[in-house]
Amino acid sequence: MEWTRVALVALFLLVTLGSSRAKVEEEDPEFWRSKAKQTLQSVLDRKLNTNVAKNIMLFLGDGMGITTYTAARVLKGQLQNQTGEETVMTMDTFPHVGLAK
């Protein structure tokens, strides 16, 4: 009898909280399409650097795989009171980045 009461209370809370939750902007597919269009347009608008390089600097992030980089992104965002996935790291703004395995 007690479990039935607990189950009913839990069901009530789920229905009440679930139905009152506002739709989040990121749940709309159009949000992601517009973000992709903005990103693509910013890349297309970028002026190419046609200068000849005098020196080249190569940064090797040893142990900096995709999972480590994602964890750093999430941490940076959470320290800024965000969820973290939407955070842009400085390396994300580089015109050319590569991964090697």
Side-chain angles (χ1 to χ4, degrees), residues 4-89:
T4 307
R5 187 174 183 184
V6 171
L8 286 174
V9 170
L11 181 62
F12 173 76
L13 288 173
L14 284 172
V15 170
T16 304
L17 295 175
S19 63
S20 66
R21 194 180 103 202
K23 183 166 179 154
V24 182
E25 185 178 39
E26 287 87 357
E27 292 178 2
D28 183 18
E30 190 55 40
F31 170 81
W32 294 107
R33 285 188 197 101
S34 67
K35 284 289 211 184
K37 286 179 184 177
Q38 289 172 359
T39 303
L40 182 59
Q41 192 59 50
S42 70
V43 171
L44 292 173
D45 292 342
R46 187 179 296 152
K47 184 178 181 250
L48 292 178
N49 182 353
T50 57
N51 299 329
V52 176
K54 186 175 180 182
N55 297 304
I56 295 176
M57 293 178 68
L58 180 64
F59 294 96
L60 294 176
D62 187 27
M64 186 97 174
I66 294 175
T67 52
T68 307
Y69 191 68
T70 302
R73 175 194 319 277
V74 170
L75 177 62
K76 180 182 178 185
Q78 289 175 345
L79 290 174
Q80 297 170 349
N81 294 324
Q82 299 173 348
T83 59
E85 292 86 2
E86 73 283 353
T87 305
V88 177
M89 303 287 277

